[in-house]
Each structure stands twice: as C-alpha cells, then as structure tokens.
Amino acid sequence: MSKNLHKDAIRTLNTLQTNANYLDQVKRQRYDPAEQLQMMRQFLERSGLQVEDLDKLNIIHVTGTKGKGSTCAFTEQILRNYGLKTGFYSSPHLVQVRERIRINGQPISKELFSKYFWQVYNRLEETNDEENPSMPPYFRFLTIMAFHIFLEQKVDLAVLEVGIGGAYDCTNIIRNPVVCGVSTLDIDHTSILGDTIEKIAWQKGGIFKPGVPAFTVYQPTGPLEVLRKRAEEIECPLYMSPDLAEYEDEGITLKLGLKGDHQKLNAALALQLAQTWLQRQGYPGFGEQKSPSCHLPPMKWPFPLASAFRPSIPMVQGLQDTIWLGRTQVLKRGPISYYIDGAHTSSSIKACIRWFREVALKEEKAGGGSVVRVLLFNATGERDMAALLKLLQPCHFDYAVFCPNICEVSGVGMADQQNFNVTLENVLTRCLENQKMWNQLNEERSCSTPWSSALPVDALIKDSPRGSPLLLTPSSERFLNCNSLVFPCISHALQWATQGRDKEFPCLDINLLHHHPVASSGSVLLREAARVQVLVTGSLHLVGGALKLLDQSLSQ
C-alpha cells in the first residue's frame, strides 16, 4: 500500500469537515436530532452494513463529560489482559487520526486505514443519489469505518466512546451493547446538550438500553436523579460504581497507570464494566465478590450501589498497565519538565491543577535551585475562558503563553491535525482574547498598573528569511511576577519556553523569538533557571500538537 494512498485518504477525509450539505442539514435538523440518527443508519446501510450486524461486536458503550476516554482505556486494557481481541474507538485523536481506531490497544496501520477508508468511501459514492447526500461528515464517517474494521477483524469486543452527548450521538445507533457506563458529568457543549448539568445528564442517559446494565460514578444529586429517571423510563438496570478503595484489601493499594486522584473514579467504573462484560459473556475467572467496607459514603443513592469485588490478576495488572497519552502525562527532558493534560472543563481543570501542583512541588523539592513555571494554554468552542483561566491563576506561573492548536504555521506534515472549520485569523483572535482575560485577572490579583503595546492580529505573523512564519508578539501586558505572550503556533511557543534546553526538541529559531521585551527578558530567565516546568492544558488538540512535536515516535 503506497504512502501516497494513505495521504490521499487523510486529505479526502479532511474534506468531510466542511461538507456544505451537511452543515445545512445540521441547521435544519437542530430541533429534530432523532432524524440525525436515522440518517446515520442510512449511511451505515449504504456502506454495506445493517444495524443488526453491530450486535456481533459485544459493545461496551461509555459516555460522560470527563474521564470517558480514560475509563475506556482502563476497560480495554483489562479485557485485553484476559487474552481477548479488543477494538477501541475513541475521539479526538492527538497526533494521527488512526489513533481513533485501535485493535488490541494499537492504532490501526496506515495500510489498514487506507484499505478500509477507500472501501467505505467508494461504497458511499456508489450509492449516492439525489435523496442521499454523498458522504457523512467526518466523525460519522470514522464511526462507520470503525464498525467495518472491528467486524472484519473479528474482535471479541469493541469499547465505544461516545463523541458528544449520548442520546443523539452517532455511536448510539447500536441496539444491544453488553454494558454501558457514564463517567463524571460536567458543563460542556452547551449549545448542543443544554446549559445545565441536568439537561446534559438527560442526553448522556440516552445511551441506556432496555435490560442492559449500566453503571455511573458519584455525581451531584440533580444529574443522578435525571439518570435514574432515564434508566427507569428505558427499563435499564442502573447501578452506582463503588469507590476504588472498596476493591482494595487492607494495606494493599491498587496502582493505576494514569496519575491523579480523579482517575480513581474512572478505574472503579472500568472494573464494573469489565466485570459485567465478562459475566454476561460467560467468561470464567472474573473478580471475587467482597463484603462492603467502611469506605462506603454515608448517604443513600437513588439507585443500587454495585457490589465491589476482589479484582483478578488481569484486572490489577490492567489498571497498572493502562496508558492514555495526553492525560496527566509527564515528559522530563533534562532541565525541562512538560506536564501535559487535555483538561478543558472547569472540573477537569481543577483536577489537572491538583495533579500538577502535587507533582511539580515534588520535583521542586527534589531538585533545588530556581524554577521557572510556564503555562501553555488554548481552549476552543463556547467554553467559559474566564472561568478556566481564573482557576489556573493560583498556580503562580511566571509566564502565560497562548497559541492556537496549530503545530506549525506552515502546515507541512500536519494533515492529520488540520481543521478546515476555522481560520488562522479566528484562532489568533481567540488567543488574544484569552491573553487579555488572563491579564485582567492578573491585574485584579496584583493591583499593578499594566503597560501594553497593542498590535493587530495580522502583526502576529512575520515571514523569516527562510519563508517560515515567525513570532511577532501581540499586545503584552506585564504584571508583578507574571507576563503573557501569544505565539502563532505551538512550535514557536515551545521553542521559546525551552530555549534549546530540550535536546530532543530542535529549537531552530531561538535567535529570532525575541521581538518583544517580555520574550527577551523571559529568555534570559528560562536559560538560567535550574528547572523549567511547562504545563500544557486547555485542549486535547493543543496537547496533541505538543506531543507531535515533542515525541517524534508518535508520528511514525
């Protein structure tokens, strides 16, 4: 399979991001979302599959606002440890789109991706007529493609992560999953799901199926009650997942491959999903049931609390072996430490901050010497930027750096991460707004008088002698112990933050990144510091771009 065939597949897939017919369709169907599911069924049938075929996949279906990807990763790893052949569909991808579709934990190969992409694409082209739009949009296409791959690769099970919401998400065309899960709920995608956590809970509960057991984690009373009513209406047996401590014997702590206290909820939910799948599929050797312990919260729940059990060896090892890049991830490169987490809601940012402050403080105490702390942030969509940035202020960053979710302004080699739904001007404007908000919040904290030098958005990008766009910082307002900068891409932001001190990350333009006094003075501090701590957060797309640059193996 030629390399060009794979590149052509990615380029063609990217055109589905801006399908004009689909955008018009969404506007018409906004108040009839059930019609979207019907269209998904039609696309599936045109591709050569029936909804009934999906029953063969023995699906574990997981939704939630925070932690659904991590829950899926824990669950998949546990069941793979039983010797089962697993399929895993998730979103978004970090570096390569192939990451979304995994067999036995590994992204499918370029050859397999190309084969099935063109197989599905050509079938849809052949069945196009005046009543049927030629192609489904990006996410729906990949979902259909994943179903084809999992069926043809004859997986024993498929772990399916919901895209957005649940009730009307295109993954919800499945009829008979083996078990369902709902991870932590939070406010996100409000224009689609609703502006309260209760409305969001209603959407998430839409994945429940009659007679199919479902599990959730501790939630506020309001959304829990909504989930209970949804389960009752659908006739779905719903259970509360116990705390992770319930699965531990005295003196023995379960070790998790994913760091942060918030991952304990996800791991506990994964244990219930894996255990239930094994039981319902008739597999022996699952965990031994335990008696309740004093760890149980002293309150009543609106539905039954699931029984904890003594995890089997594959379960214990699975929790410990789980890898899920871009979530509470640490990369240490000499004097540079990158703390990478794709948190993008208020609750997940809080969890990220708890993790970051704990691990960063440990590093400071262990290392000694001066430390410069840098925030690299971007957030997209309709999120409350002020709320997210305000949460990050107490971390006492020496510099706050903002950039769009673009690896390189040139765009070379970035096909997997292209987003045709936004323009460079749009995303840079958002970065300037984020910077302004950060400075205002900082001013409120320090009561210092700022100085500023305003430049228009188009002044952010300046051509170098080699023709590559380079940094020319925008308006930067300096406050006591804090400075902020905007860069036109992730590469330039990281080059400035690391100053060539990360030997695995080339810093080719180091002498050309000093166009503003804040950048120049910061460069001196960054070069002289004993340690530089860089927190990358706010968007999984930002995290993906950073990882692509910092870990070249992810692009192979």
Side-chain angles (χ1 to χ4, degrees):
M1 188 73 65
S2 73
K3 186 181 292 186
N4 287 337
L5 198 59
H6 176 69
K7 288 183 178 179
D8 288 344
I10 299 299
R11 290 192 191 101
T12 305
L13 174 65
N14 284 341
T15 66
L16 302 183
Q17 295 182 39
T18 53
N19 186 316
N21 290 336
Y22 170 67
L23 294 177
D24 290 339
Q25 215 173 75
V26 168
K27 292 174 184 176
R28 291 196 305 271
Q29 296 169 0
R30 182 165 291 177
Y31 298 106
D32 188 11
E35 190 176 330
Q36 296 182 40
L37 279 182
Q38 181 55 37
M39 289 200 66
M40 180 63 181
R41 294 185 191 98
Q42 292 172 2
F43 282 127
L44 185 73
E45 290 170 6
R46 285 174 52 200
S47 77
L49 291 178
Q50 300 295 318
V51 173
E52 293 79 7
D53 295 328
L54 307 183
D55 296 346
K56 303 171 189 174
L57 292 177
N58 303 317
I59 289 170
I60 298 173
H61 203 194
V62 182
T63 189
T65 310
K66 299 189 308 168
K68 63 183 187 291
S70 298
T71 298
C72 288
F74 279 126
T75 305
E76 186 275 334
Q77 179 69 65
I78 288 170
L79 293 173
R80 182 157 32 105
N81 278 12
Y82 276 89
L84 297 164
K85 186 174 183 178
T86 62
F88 180 9
Y89 180 60
S90 64
S91 61
H93 61 277
L94 295 178
V95 177
Q96 299 193 65
V97 68
R98 298 182 292 113
E99 299 164 23
R100 296 181 183 231
I101 305 173
R102 296 171 183 257
I103 302 292
N104 286 333
Q106 294 300 312
I108 59 172
S109 66
K110 291 181 178 180
E111 291 76 17
L112 208 59
F113 184 93
S114 300
K115 172 186 173 181
Y116 286 106
F117 175 86
W118 291 115
Q119 177 179 302
V120 173
Y121 190 89
N122 291 334
R123 284 177 181 172
L124 289 168
E125 277 282 287
E126 292 163 3
T127 55
N128 179 30
D129 57 41
E130 291 183 1
E131 294 183 4
N132 294 309
S134 174
M135 290 292 158
Y138 191 92
F139 184 73
R140 291 189 196 181
F141 186 98
L142 288 171
T143 304
I144 293 169
M145 187 173 151
F147 288 145
H148 277 270
I149 291 171
F150 294 155
L151 285 167
E152 296 201 30
Q153 293 295 307
K154 294 181 170 54
V155 298
D156 295 312
L157 68 125
V159 179
L160 211 61
E161 180 189 358
V162 166
I164 294 178
Y168 305 116
D169 185 75
C170 67
T171 63
N172 205 32
I173 60 169
I174 63 171
R175 307 181 314 161
N176 297 308
V178 177
V179 62
C180 297
V182 181
S183 66
T184 303
L185 300 179
D186 197 4
I187 301 291
D188 202 13
H189 301 295
T190 53
S191 65
I192 299 171
L193 305 180
D195 56 2
T196 68
I197 198 166
E198 287 76 17
K199 291 177 181 177
I200 290 170
W202 188 92
Q203 294 280 352
K204 305 291 183 182
I207 71 166
F208 296 158
K209 300 292 185 293
V212 175
F215 298 86
T216 190
V217 297
Y218 304 138
Q219 316 273 8
T221 304
L224 274 185
E225 181 60 22
V226 172
L227 290 177
R228 183 194 68 78
K229 289 180 178 177
R230 285 288 262 164
E232 190 176 84
E233 292 166 1
I234 297 171
E235 298 183 352
C236 159
L238 177 62
Y239 302 93
M240 177 70 68
S241 172
D243 186 85
L244 188 65
E246 288 296 312
Y247 300 89
E248 300 173 337
D249 288 321
E250 190 171 347
I252 300 176
T253 301
L254 290 171
K255 295 181 180 179
L256 305 183
L258 307 183
K259 305 307 178 187
D261 285 343
H262 57 290
Q263 293 293 355
K264 294 178 181 179
L265 279 178
N266 303 326
L269 179 57
L271 286 172
Q272 286 294 335
L273 295 176
Q275 166 93 332
T276 303
W277 190 94
L278 290 165
Q279 287 178 329
R280 298 197 77 205
Q281 295 301 109
Y283 283 86
F286 43 78
E288 176 189 345
Q289 188 167 326
K290 292 178 61 180
S291 300
S293 75
C294 59
H295 294 297
L296 290 174
M299 64 181 296
K300 293 182 178 179
W301 303 104
F303 40 84
L305 185 72
S307 298
F309 51 86
R310 185 168 288 105
S312 65
I313 292 175
M315 291 177 176
V316 173
Q317 197 63 43
L319 294 179
Q320 186 171 335
D321 292 346
T322 298
I323 296 172
W324 196 227
L325 298 181
R327 286 80 172 176
T328 57
Q329 182 180 354
V330 180
L331 282 178
K332 293 194 175 182
R333 303 276 182 76
I336 311 293
S337 294
Y338 304 96
Y339 300 89
I340 302 170
D341 190 79
H344 52 272
T345 69
S346 292
S347 296
S348 59
I349 286 287
K350 289 176 185 176
C352 170
I353 290 168
R354 286 194 295 271
W355 161 75
F356 171 68
R357 295 178 81 167
E358 179 183 352
V359 293
L361 185 60
K362 283 182 181 178
E363 182 187 59
E364 285 186 38
K365 289 181 177 178
S370 63
V371 175
V372 174
R373 192 174 279 186
V374 179
L375 169 67
L376 176 55
F377 180 90
N378 191 42
T380 58
E382 58 206 11
R383 296 179 175 91
D384 186 345
M385 304 299 174
L388 300 183
L389 292 171
K390 189 172 184 178
L391 290 171
L392 289 160
Q393 290 261 320
C395 290
H396 303 296
F397 293 101
D398 297 286
Y399 295 92
V401 177
F402 303 91
C403 70
N405 299 334
I406 299 171
C407 285
E408 301 272 6
V409 177
S410 64
V412 175
M414 306 297 167
D416 285 81
Q417 296 177 314
Q418 283 183 327
N419 184 350
F420 293 155
N421 294 322
V422 295
T423 66
L424 181 58
E425 184 177 358
N426 291 152
V427 294
L428 284 173
T429 299
R430 172 61 66 89
C431 291
L432 288 168
E433 291 169 352
N434 290 342
Q435 182 200 32
K436 182 178 180 181
M437 180 60 65
W438 177 267
N439 291 343
Q440 288 174 346
L441 291 167
N442 217 34
E443 184 178 15
E444 292 169 6
R445 286 172 59 86
S446 66
C447 297
S448 297
T449 302
W451 60 270
S452 64
S453 175
L455 292 172
V457 173
D458 57 7
L460 275 169
I461 303 172
K462 177 182 178 182
D463 291 336
S464 74
R466 296 196 306 273
S468 300
L470 293 175
L471 165 72
L472 186 59
T473 58
S475 155
S476 295
E477 300 174 355
R478 181 169 183 168
F479 301 92
L480 185 63
N481 295 325
C482 185
N483 305 283
S484 62
L485 295 166
V486 173
F487 289 81
C489 65
I490 302 169
S491 177
H492 291 174
L494 287 175
Q495 286 183 56
W496 178 81
T498 57
Q499 294 292 310
R501 301 180 71 188
D502 176 355
K503 301 306 179 185
E504 296 181 46
F505 175 58
C507 191
L508 304 177
D509 303 315
I510 188 168
N511 295 320
L512 297 169
L513 294 175
H514 300 168
H515 298 294
H516 194 281
V518 172
S520 298
S521 59
S523 296
V524 176
L525 292 177
L526 289 164
R527 285 195 295 268
E528 294 178 351
R531 295 215 59 82
V532 177
Q533 298 176 335
V534 184
L535 173 63
V536 184
T537 192
S539 166
L540 276 169
H541 300 286
L542 174 71
V543 160
L547 285 173
K548 177 178 177 65
L549 294 165
L550 297 173
D551 188 348
Q552 296 297 315
S553 68
L554 297 177
S555 297
Q556 303 306 313

